[in-house]
Amino acid sequence: MSLRPTLETRRAQPTMEGAGVKLHRAFGFQDPSELDPFLLFDDFRGETPGDYSAGFPWHPHRGIETITYVLGGAVDHADSLGNSGTLGAGSVQWMTAGSGILHQEMPKGNAKGQMHGFQLWANLPSSLKMTAPRYQDIHAPDIPEVVDDDGTRVKVITGEFWGKRGPVDGIAADPQYLDVFVPAGVKKTFRVDTYRRAFAYVFEGAGAFADASGPQGVLLEKEVAGQEVNIRDLSGNRTLVRFGTGDEVTVQAGPEGIRFLLISGAPINEPVAWHGPIVMNTREELTQAFAELRNDTFIRPAH
């Protein structure tokens, strides 16, 4: 076994998207090869409706898949195929835009006016860029959760982990998408396929991801077992952790435990031509897509 080194940790940056939704972007609209096949990751959470109620009105997508995971509140959605519904807390929607779709997503708060969710964009290979659009809506009770003896809990959204398989299937990037909680003071190692790009996104608590090049994880374990933890050594709320190659990721939970998404996928290794919500392989394909938007031929008829 080989430990994946931590290539980089960085905080998600505040930005505004849609019609005025306040969110934090962990990555996106930069170097698409960095986390290939993943293109963008947004953390949208708000304490009051003014942070999110403007939502994401009707907009197009082509050439990608979008994965929406709702932790709190809800998201109403509708699309040009005639689908509509509500994603409640703990639910996941995996949308394959393929040849093109128009949709909208409108967040709603819980009883206290709070909402929280994530959206991840995954690229499609050239052979599937123009595939027929489809949706997979997965409700919270259908997402398996495994619990280890030390209190570690893992929700398996897609892929296989600890003998459980996530309910989302048929995804081009063949990803593993896990929602992980590690209790305070526990050190835990997770297997990740060597040939996948991988990242973690911390959204509750804090911890240290051990680096093969240094003793940080071991030192932190001793500190947790004792009295003090050097908070500066911990990756906390809204932190992206990008890993190098290897087949294991090790995390040492801080004094409040740590909750994070652990996501990996097989790189596509193809050229990327990207503008806004449309991601193709060439500038010519991108130009054609926007021309079709202008002349109302963007949505292909169902076969």
Side-chain angles (χ1 to χ4, degrees):
M1 300 297 172
S2 61
L3 182 65
R4 282 180 176 252
T6 300
L7 297 181
E8 179 187 18
T9 60
R10 65 173 182 248
R11 294 296 301 274
Q13 296 300 304
T15 188
M16 195 169 288
E17 198 56 85
V21 178
K22 296 178 182 178
L23 52 82
H24 282 71
R25 180 158 291 156
F27 62 88
F29 297 107
Q30 294 169 327
D31 179 3
S33 67
E34 183 180 75
L35 282 164
D36 180 15
F38 306 114
L39 297 165
L40 175 146
F41 183 87
D42 283 343
D43 176 349
F44 54 99
R45 64 178 98 173
E47 296 298 317
T48 65
D51 293 335
Y52 55 79
S53 60
F56 307 92
W58 290 98
H59 59 280
H61 283 293
R62 176 178 284 182
I64 63 171
E65 301 183 279
T66 66
I67 304 94
T68 306
Y69 180 25
V70 179
L71 286 186
V75 175
D76 290 336
H77 68 89
D79 67 54
S80 53
L81 300 176
N83 299 308
S84 64
T86 298
L87 294 174
S91 298
V92 174
Q93 181 187 85
W94 202 294
M95 183 194 76
T96 303
S99 61
I101 198 165
L102 297 172
H103 77 156
Q104 67 172 356
E105 300 149 304
M106 306 302 288
K108 300 188 300 184
N110 59 19
K112 296 181 179 180
Q114 303 164 322
M115 78 85 50
H116 188 190
F118 305 108
Q119 189 166 92
L120 174 70
W121 291 12
N123 200 7
L124 282 169
S126 57
S127 60
L128 295 175
K129 287 285 188 191
M130 300 301 287
T131 193
R134 69 169 183 148
Y135 273 95
Q136 295 181 70
D137 279 1
I138 309 296
H139 299 292
D142 299 321
I143 297 175
E145 182 177 60
V146 288
V147 182
D148 207 358
D149 293 340
D150 59 13
T152 298
R153 302 194 306 268
V154 180
K155 293 182 180 180
V156 186
I157 293 168
T158 186
E160 191 167 346
F161 187 78
W162 286 354
K164 298 286 187 178
R165 175 164 285 279
V168 182
D169 62 7
I171 305 305
D174 188 26
Q176 185 182 63
Y177 191 129
L178 309 175
D179 177 350
V180 180
F181 171 75
V182 180
V186 172
K187 185 177 183 180
K188 202 71 177 175
T189 297
F190 302 92
R191 291 291 307 277
V192 179
D193 188 288
T194 307
Y195 300 102
R196 295 167 180 257
R197 297 271 170 78
F199 70 92
Y201 182 75
V202 182
F203 61 96
E204 286 180 12
F209 289 85
D211 195 318
S213 62
Q216 182 186 40
V218 176
L219 289 178
L220 189 62
E221 184 178 22
K222 293 177 181 177
E223 291 170 351
V224 170
Q227 296 296 317
E228 297 182 3
V229 174
N230 184 348
I231 298 300
R232 290 175 299 178
D233 291 339
L234 301 183
S235 294
N237 185 27
R238 295 194 177 105
T239 299
L240 173 76
V241 183
R242 191 163 60 91
F243 301 109
T245 56
D247 50 24
E248 291 183 339
V249 167
T250 294
V251 64
Q252 171 68 58
E256 298 177 356
I258 184 172
R259 189 174 176 190
F260 60 95
L261 304 178
L262 181 59
I263 299 174
S264 61
I268 295 173
N269 294 320
E270 290 183 354
V272 172
W274 181 5
H275 184 77
I278 297 175
V279 184
M280 303 303 289
N281 293 105
T282 68
R283 298 297 302 179
E284 291 76 14
E285 291 170 338
L286 204 56
T287 299
Q288 179 182 344
F290 281 98
E292 291 174 1
L293 270 173
R294 290 190 298 271
N295 63 27
D296 293 328
T297 59
F298 185 77
I299 304 300
R300 304 296 173 96
H303 295 294

